[in-house]
Amino acid sequence: MQKLLWSALFVLTTLFTFGQDKVTLSGNLKDAESGEDLIGARVVVAELPGVGALTNDYGFYSLTIAPGTYTITIKSLGFETVTQQMDLTADKTFDLEMKVEGKVFGTVTVTGEKLDENITSAEMGVDKINMKDIENIPVLFGEKDILKTLQLLPGVKSAGEGSAGFFVRGGSADQNLILLDEAPVYNASHLLGFFSVFNSDALKDVKLYKGGAPAEFGGRLSSVMDIKMKEGNSKRLSVSGGLGLISSKLTIEAPIVKDKGSFIVSGRRTYADIFLGLSKDERAQNSILYFYDLNAKANYRLGKKDRIFLSGYFGRDNFGFADQFGFDWGNATGTFRWNHLYGDRLFGNTSVIFSNYNYKIKFGAEDETFQIGSEIQDINLKEDFDFYINSKNTMSFGGNIIHHTFRPGEIETGSDIGFVLNDIENRYSLESAAYVSNEQKIKKRWKVVYGLRFSNFTQIGPGNIFSYDVDGNVTDTTVFGDWEPVSSYNGLSPRISSNFSIDEKSSVKASYARTYQYIHLVSNSTSSSPTDIWVPSSNNIEPQVADQVSVGYFRNFYDNMLEFSGEVYYKDMRRVIDYRDGAEVTLNPTVEGELLYGIGRAYGLELLLKKRRGKFTGWVSYTLSRSERKFDEINDGAWYAARQDRTHDISLVGMYNFTDRLTASATWVYYTGNAVTFPSGKYQIDGQTVSLYSERNGYRMPDYHRLDLGVTLENKKFKTVLDPESGEEMQVPKRFESSWNFSVYNAYGRENAYSISFQENPETGQTEAVQLALFKIIPSITYNFKF
Amino acid sequence: MRTSFLFFIFLLVFTFSSCEKVIDVPLNEAEQTLVVEAVIKDRVGANYIILSKSGSVYEDQNFEKVEDATVTVTAADGTVYDFPHQGNGLYNLPDFAVVPSMHYDIEINALDRLITAGCDAPSKPEIDSLTYLTLTGTFGVPEGDTLNLISFHSVDNGAEKNYYLLKIFRNGRENSGYYLGNDDFINGIYYEAQFFGSEAKPRDTVFVEMISMDKANYDYYVGLSNNLGSGPFNAAPANPPSNLNGNALGFFGAYSTDTISIVLP
């Protein structure tokens, strides 16, 4: 199959390259101030309506047209538009550094650029966040968080109060592929889910595909979140940082060689434990509780055609009590990339990617210790190409192979313990994929992106591989040697999305995508936990599969000031995973025997109305949806509401620029309570009162709503100096920028239920429903600076 | 780079507040059903079979007992034992004891229904010894206070898959928690386990019962501990998986045990 794909590709490539009398304009677009590559900037030809090119993830564009004299316009959101006459008689390279718009003496310039990307692009089911909005939107403890801000968009739901975990279109949290510079991040939350691992100071661009992701991506059922780190300022040394209530951060970026290479290092650490040290309570003084993140990236341009990047992330949570108990967990990722231009129309990127997530729990001190650990580790080799065939076709193709290592349980004892415990055996697998995708302008108003992704997952030895009966008991054990295949699965995922522009203001889009998921997160707790483990597909676990169709209508009003979109989707899921009642999922060598397999369906309507320009900006988003599961062993095989099922989900976000120094913002969210299981009786056994359950997820938590408010005050951006030549007063921008951010989380103090438990009242013996609410009016203050 | 003198003002307004309150949650009523707790052990006097009925969530604790049932236990060697009603829902045969490694079946006729179950009694486990570590002012023990951390020593039977339940009694009273474990990490080896959370005071008498059970009973106890826990880091709530056939809640267990006691100085 793979062979077939590659030969098809070869035929296509040769077809498109021969016999054309065309010229190619290509180059790189950058931010003039920081030297950062511009992603998604547009190159438009005035004489050829509908013909243009977009820059890729590395700021590269390529446009092939007939020779002639053209008016070339280059636009990017937030930058001054550049228009230039060009005489194209032969292939030409044109690099440009674009200036940030509106940086003129404190006045806000209104751009004349048409912001109609949402209408003209074939992409649908995509949520994008402007990094500037993240700075203004109020969040818990003032910790800016891309994952929390994304939850305010339609189809993306928070996993719970203050949680960085999220559900996309009725899928579970582990069905989201979260990529940081191409490396998967296996556990994206800190401090039991209240904060995400992403330090927004180090990030450049975030995109979330809720359905219809390009064929380049695969491996998860529900969504792809593609996060890119900043490259670092290649013009000058720049330092920025922030001091917050619970954490501080510092970012340093500088050129390695001006305009050729740069680096960025960004760190963040919380200091809740510093306050614990001030406590009078001895136990609190000896407690350890903090997390930190470190992002680093460097890039260097070797020549006109080659560029290399090295980026990494390292973050860890530490929790402990004196030297007697320790619990720490975290991710480490690393990406090495090499960009190469094979001619001016073929852009290639080779990546070597590493990702690791592990946790360790340690008891005891000195040589009397007992330590439990678990780990997942990936090494991935990836090759991607963008081929700019002509002004109507842009092709992407490539492939990758990942070696996964799963260490479910490693146990170490100190030398004084006197005995050695057995580890749980490691598991190994290879996950590979090849894809080809083409974006084609069929008619002036009709654009289609179509592609095919072929994937394979092979479980390999060494190991003692178990087989199970229907009740989950081990029936057989087979021994496999190094690299010996145990089981193998193939997946063929067609992807297609189409955009038909009705006129310049509106378009209709439709998409279909099939996705496969070969590794699964085993977690039987209701919230995400650091000890949740990933298990591979195997002789016992088949991959999960989903098909999703969606249709959308997009319309802009008032010269693209208002943007409206409405999308409906239906997602069919097969072989989704749940657990047997009473399942033990941590440190269980036969965890595969605890799993159940069923089907799922999710469908909904998503509406978004956004105001993009003016003093007042913001959006209203509404989602009406269902997400259901069906397992033979649960609720007598009937369909039931999944935990991710939320009937209504509303977010209102508003930001108002009073002056160029003062911005106020407010968000209000409302959603239907999660589906939960409550008891319908009780009984006594083993001397204890036990709840009797008759139905899974048969009840609802109370509805959730919350208002957050924020104010950002920036210092004066300009200072008055005397012009040395004319002696007149003039305003110049200040090098040092700073701002204060004040915010209030849950401003009207709504007691939202975090959990409801049924407890016996110790005095009366009666059972009562006790609601726990976590955060009631949390004010916070943050100071940010940059120079 | 032009450096500026940075002066940071740090303001702490930290009103992290969580709050608990009793709320009104209307619940559906499940049908009242039979609850079976049938425990037979290899020690005379340690057996009990309790039959009761479930109640509604918001009712008080007086669960109805079932007093007119017939209970018989049949050993794999063909011997049939009748367990007569002893009052208050308790059925017992005072001089009965399980023979380790023997299979037992139970038959209960109660509330117009027949409940059956089978269980393999495991081989007899052996406790090697109990030791203790005296803690003064460490491990969270306040200065001037002395507590003893009890350690348990045993050798796992490597020839079979073992599931253990350990109960600890202090001065004749059972501690509220118990310890559940299997031999995944200790198969066939000598091991030591500490009873964290069950520290004893000087001059206490500590009694430990080690119960060896089959997988079905172990799964029941794991399910039971999940059922009793609440909060976001616990499993989705569910009834513990029962090994009973017929319409009833609960379990039947035939256990092999070993016991040991220690008097602290």
Side-chain angles (χ1 to χ4, degrees):
Chain A
M1 184 64 221
Q2 249 154 317
K3 210 172 172 183
L4 190 75
L5 265 181
W6 286 115
S7 45
L9 200 68
F10 178 75
V11 172
L12 274 173
T13 326
T14 28
L15 264 181
F16 283 118
T17 30
F18 281 110
Q20 292 173 12
D21 182 24
K22 297 275 170 97
V23 289
T24 302
L25 174 70
S26 63
N28 278 282
L29 302 182
K30 288 201 270 188
D31 177 339
E33 201 167 309
S34 65
E36 290 277 340
D37 295 331
L38 293 176
I39 301 173
R42 295 171 73 192
V43 180
V44 179
V45 186
E47 289 79 6
L48 304 168
V51 170
L54 287 178
T55 53
N56 71 4
D57 293 349
Y58 305 94
F60 175 78
Y61 73 92
S62 172
L63 180 65
T64 301
I65 46 181
T69 305
Y70 297 104
T71 313
I72 306 286
T73 304
I74 298 176
K75 314 169 167 183
S76 184
L77 189 59
F79 291 86
E80 281 176 23
T81 298
V82 174
T83 303
Q84 198 159 333
Q85 286 287 329
M86 271 188 215
D87 201 12
L88 292 178
T89 48
D91 292 349
K92 184 180 166 77
T93 309
F94 180 68
D95 297 337
L96 184 69
E97 295 189 345
M98 300 181 76
K99 289 197 185 79
V100 175
E101 65 176 359
K103 281 238 164 178
V104 208
F105 304 117
T107 54
V108 179
T109 50
V110 177
T111 168
E113 183 203 335
K114 295 253 182 200
L115 302 160
D116 57 354
E117 177 65 26
N118 60 316
I119 301 292
T120 53
S121 146
E123 270 180 351
M124 66 178 301
V126 178
D127 283 338
K128 280 181 232 174
I129 280 275
N130 184 342
M131 296 306 287
K132 186 80 191 158
D133 287 349
I134 293 177
E135 284 173 26
N136 289 322
I137 292 171
V139 282
L140 181 61
F141 299 122
E143 278 296 305
K144 289 182 276 179
D145 203 317
I146 46 160
L147 294 191
K148 288 181 188 170
T149 307
L150 268 169
Q151 292 166 7
L152 299 168
L153 290 164
V156 189
K157 293 158 194 199
S158 149
E161 174 83 88
S163 175
F166 62 101
F167 304 136
V168 176
R169 289 187 170 171
S172 57
D174 75 311
Q175 292 173 349
N176 303 320
L177 177 64
I178 302 177
L179 297 173
L180 179 65
D181 271 357
E182 299 183 90
V185 176
Y186 281 104
N187 187 335
S189 63
H190 278 307
L191 215 71
L192 313 175
F194 291 122
F195 305 97
S196 88
V197 299
F198 303 112
N199 171 2
S200 57
D201 283 1
L203 306 181
K204 174 175 174 174
D205 185 73
V206 180
K207 209 171 189 182
L208 179 76
Y209 298 95
K210 297 181 289 187
E216 180 191 342
F217 299 107
R220 296 292 185 285
L221 232 48
S222 282
S223 78
V224 179
M225 184 175 206
D226 192 17
I227 304 173
K228 295 185 182 74
M229 269 160 59
K230 282 181 188 164
E231 265 100 55
N233 197 319
S234 63
K235 299 285 176 189
R236 63 175 180 91
L237 174 67
S238 160
V239 179
S240 62
L243 283 154
L245 267 196
I246 63 152
S247 81
S248 280
K249 49 197 172 184
L250 188 70
T251 303
I252 297 167
E253 31 189 326
I256 297 170
V257 175
K258 197 178 173 192
D259 291 329
K260 280 197 101 175
S262 61
F263 73 90
I264 178 169
V265 178
S266 183
R268 167 172 75 156
R269 190 195 190 277
T270 59
Y271 31 66
D273 50 336
I274 294 170
F275 303 119
L276 292 174
L278 301 173
S279 166
K280 284 203 174 77
D281 183 61
E282 202 178 320
R283 283 173 187 239
Q285 275 184 27
N286 288 324
S287 296
I288 304 160
L289 174 69
Y290 67 89
F291 68 76
Y292 63 89
D293 293 301
L294 189 68
N295 292 75
K297 188 167 179 175
N299 75 88
Y300 194 78
R301 196 175 283 279
L302 298 171
K304 274 227 156 287
K305 289 184 186 301
D306 296 278
R307 194 171 174 199
I308 51 169
F309 297 79
L310 189 62
S311 58
Y313 164 78
F314 188 80
R316 222 153 171 88
D317 280 64
N318 257 297
F319 173 65
F321 180 71
D323 56 352
Q324 311 289 0
F325 172 75
F327 182 14
D328 61 290
W329 64 93
N331 298 280
T333 72
T335 310
F336 170 78
R337 286 191 270 201
W338 168 50
N339 283 179
H340 181 71
L341 263 182
Y342 304 84
D344 46 17
R345 289 196 288 154
L346 184 62
F347 179 93
N349 178 61
T350 308
S351 301
V352 181
I353 303 153
F354 168 87
S355 179
N356 175 292
Y357 171 75
N358 66 54
Y359 73 81
K360 285 193 185 83
I361 303 173
K362 191 181 142 199
F363 302 93
E366 288 161 11
D367 291 332
E368 279 226 355
T369 57
F370 176 73
Q371 185 175 297
I372 302 166
S374 174
E375 185 172 59
I376 175 171
Q377 187 165 302
D378 285 2
I379 293 169
N380 183 2
L381 179 66
K382 191 164 172 273
E383 190 71 53
D384 299 289
F385 296 96
D386 292 331
F387 179 37
Y388 302 87
I389 301 165
N390 51 38
S391 63
K392 289 197 164 60
N393 290 282
T394 304
M395 189 190 263
S396 305
F397 57 94
N400 75 313
I401 183 159
I402 309 171
H403 179 268
H404 294 287
T405 305
F406 300 85
R407 291 194 183 92
E410 271 185 312
I411 298 181
E412 280 170 40
T413 47
S415 56
D416 279 5
I417 291 287
F419 59 96
V420 180
L421 297 166
N422 316 331
D423 288 349
I424 301 178
E425 223 176 29
N426 293 355
R427 289 284 178 261
Y428 305 93
S429 43
L430 292 174
E431 185 175 355
S432 51
Y435 71 91
V436 56
S437 173
N438 187 36
E439 179 172 338
Q440 188 174 354
K441 282 173 200 136
I442 293 178
K443 290 261 168 59
K444 194 184 153 198
R445 295 184 174 219
W446 189 23
K447 201 189 272 180
V448 183
V449 182
Y450 49 90
L452 198 61
R453 180 183 178 87
F454 171 77
S455 53
N456 172 276
F457 189 87
T458 304
Q459 179 192 14
I460 52 172
N464 297 300
I465 306 297
F466 307 120
S467 302
Y468 299 86
D469 64 12
V470 285
D471 295 323
N473 298 311
V474 175
T475 54
D476 192 28
T477 306
T478 319
V479 183
F480 286 85
D482 285 6
W483 298 91
E484 197 180 341
V486 179
S487 60
S488 185
Y489 299 96
N490 292 324
L492 197 59
S493 323
R495 310 272 171 96
I496 182 160
S497 59
S498 163
N499 173 357
F500 184 78
S501 298
I502 300 165
D503 51 37
E504 280 180 1
K505 291 181 199 134
S506 58
S507 64
V508 176
K509 303 183 191 182
S511 80
Y512 162 76
R514 169 172 286 191
T515 44
Y516 284 84
Q517 179 160 349
Y518 297 103
I519 63 169
H520 323 275
L521 186 69
V522 176
S523 156
N524 76 344
S525 58
T526 9
S527 185
S528 82
S529 146
T531 56
D532 293 345
I533 62 157
W534 290 87
V535 294
S537 289
S538 65
N539 55 324
N540 302 300
I541 307 176
E542 286 183 69
Q544 303 179 56
V545 194
D547 288 295
Q548 187 183 153
V549 285
S550 48
V551 179
Y553 174 71
F554 296 74
R555 182 161 164 62
N556 289 2
F557 301 91
Y558 304 113
D559 195 22
N560 300 313
M561 187 170 74
L562 274 185
E563 193 178 294
F564 168 81
S565 68
E567 290 187 38
V568 287
Y569 65 89
Y570 183 89
K571 185 156 64 181
D572 176 64
M573 295 169 266
R574 295 181 296 286
R575 302 196 286 263
V576 291
I577 288 176
D578 212 307
Y579 314 95
R580 287 176 197 282
D581 289 345
E584 225 181 339
V585 297
T586 33
L587 295 173
N588 182 352
T590 57
V591 70
E592 292 182 337
E594 305 275 27
L595 307 180
L596 301 174
Y597 308 94
I599 55 173
R601 62 185 181 200
Y603 46 95
L605 164 73
E606 297 168 358
L607 302 174
L608 177 69
L609 181 66
K610 198 170 188 174
K611 184 171 181 295
R612 293 180 47 170
R613 279 180 287 132
K615 277 189 170 295
F616 178 78
T617 54
W619 65 86
V620 182
S621 104
Y622 171 72
T623 311
L624 173 71
S625 63
R626 289 288 282 156
S627 181
E628 297 167 306
R629 301 288 180 274
K630 189 175 184 293
F631 287 81
D632 289 344
E633 298 84 351
I634 299 173
N635 288 359
D636 300 320
W639 284 99
Y640 66 94
R643 193 164 77 86
Q644 301 83 8
D645 182 72
R646 299 245 173 94
T647 316
H648 305 285
D649 194 316
I650 302 170
S651 305
L652 304 180
V653 178
M655 283 164 279
Y656 193 83
N657 263 302
F658 287 96
T659 67
D660 67 324
R661 290 180 54 205
L662 183 67
T663 309
S665 60
T667 60
W668 184 74
V669 292
Y670 168 90
Y671 56 77
T672 310
N674 282 355
V676 283
T677 307
F678 286 152
S680 50
K682 65 178 177 183
Y683 56 99
Q684 198 152 37
I685 209 152
D686 197 35
Q688 302 164 99
T689 303
V690 180
S691 291
L692 169 61
Y693 298 99
S694 50
E695 196 188 350
R696 173 84 64 104
N697 288 358
Y699 294 87
R700 287 275 166 186
M701 294 291 273
D703 289 353
Y704 182 101
H705 54 90
R706 192 188 79 230
L707 174 73
D708 304 336
L709 301 170
V711 172
T712 307
L713 178 67
E714 289 176 49
N715 71 344
K716 286 199 182 112
K717 287 175 183 165
F718 301 92
K719 60 181 177 187
T720 308
V721 291
L722 293 177
D723 191 315
E725 285 167 23
S726 66
E728 282 172 27
E729 280 193 358
M730 60 177 281
Q731 301 236 307
V732 291
K734 279 189 185 174
R735 182 77 183 270
F736 185 84
E737 293 172 26
S738 68
S739 67
W740 287 93
N741 180 280
F742 307 89
S743 68
V744 184
Y745 180 87
N746 197 3
Y748 55 79
R750 156 89 175 168
E751 286 177 15
N752 284 305
Y754 184 64
S755 66
I756 292 176
S757 53
F758 291 82
Q759 304 171 354
E760 266 172 49
N761 184 315
E763 284 162 30
T764 63
Q766 293 284 125
T767 300
E768 296 168 340
V770 179
Q771 170 187 290
L772 173 70
L774 279 191
F775 304 114
K776 226 178 123 178
I777 314 184
I778 307 281
S780 58
I781 177 168
T782 317
Y783 175 75
N784 292 304
F785 64 88
K786 187 180 179 179
F787 59 91
Chain B
M1 184 184 117
R2 190 183 57 182
T3 45
S4 302
F5 183 66
L6 304 179
F7 195 77
F8 301 125
I9 307 161
F10 187 72
L11 195 68
L12 183 75
V13 198
F14 195 74
T15 56
F16 174 84
S17 54
S18 73
C19 88
E20 271 197 340
K21 69 175 180 191
V22 174
I23 57 165
D24 185 36
V25 179
L27 296 173
N28 303 325
E29 278 301 311
E31 209 179 304
Q32 205 178 31
T33 189
L34 176 66
V35 180
V36 175
E37 183 177 359
V39 172
I40 54 173
K41 295 181 186 172
D42 60 349
R43 303 200 317 277
V44 170
N47 312 295
Y48 56 94
I49 294 167
I50 298 167
L51 304 182
S52 61
K53 289 187 201 173
S54 65
S56 78
V57 176
Y58 294 124
E59 231 168 58
D60 61 14
Q61 298 289 19
N62 297 318
F63 296 99
E64 276 180 66
K65 298 292 189 282
V66 177
E67 310 199 318
D68 54 356
T70 59
V71 178
T72 55
V73 172
T74 309
D77 61 10
T79 323
V80 179
Y81 304 92
D82 285 322
F83 277 58
H85 185 237
Q86 309 283 359
N88 203 24
L90 173 70
Y91 295 78
N92 205 354
L93 183 60
D95 54 358
F96 174 84
V98 158
V99 178
S101 307
M102 174 88 80
H103 179 85
Y104 291 88
D105 286 304
I106 193 167
E107 206 176 290
I108 300 168
N109 263 296
L111 304 178
D112 300 321
R113 63 191 94 175
L114 175 69
I115 308 298
T116 60
C119 182
D120 289 319
S123 67
K124 192 173 170 59
E126 266 178 62
I127 304 173
D128 176 81
S129 57
L130 288 185
T131 57
Y132 58 91
L133 176 70
T134 304
L135 304 170
T136 310
T138 54
F139 264 113
V141 176
E143 207 69 47
D145 233 0
T146 300
L147 284 177
N148 294 288
L149 176 66
I150 311 295
S151 275
F152 166 89
H153 305 255
S154 177
V155 179
D156 177 73
N157 180 352
E160 60 184 45
K161 183 83 190 163
N162 302 101
Y163 302 91
Y164 302 116
L165 169 67
L166 292 157
K167 292 191 168 184
I168 179 162
F169 299 76
R170 212 152 51 88
N171 304 324
R173 284 183 56 183
E174 186 181 344
N175 271 17
S176 58
Y178 49 74
Y179 300 82
L180 267 174
N182 61 29
D183 64 2
D184 281 345
F185 302 106
I186 51 165
N187 191 31
I189 63 168
Y190 162 83
Y191 67 95
E192 176 188 344
Q194 274 108 3
F195 292 116
F196 286 107
S198 295
E199 287 81 3
K201 293 200 168 85
R203 287 171 295 284
D204 276 354
T205 302
V206 173
F207 173 80
V208 171
E209 182 185 22
M210 180 187 202
I211 300 168
S212 184
M213 53 178 58
D214 71 349
K215 183 175 190 298
N217 271 269
Y218 176 78
D219 287 347
Y220 188 88
Y221 273 95
V222 172
L224 193 61
S225 64
N226 286 344
N227 179 298
L228 293 168
S230 64
F233 298 105
N234 282 98
N239 297 322
S242 174
N243 63 348
L244 303 174
N245 304 308
N247 182 14
L249 295 163
F251 66 98
F252 166 57
Y255 304 146
S256 301
T257 65
D258 195 15
T259 62
I260 192 169
S261 65
I262 187 173
V263 180
L264 295 165

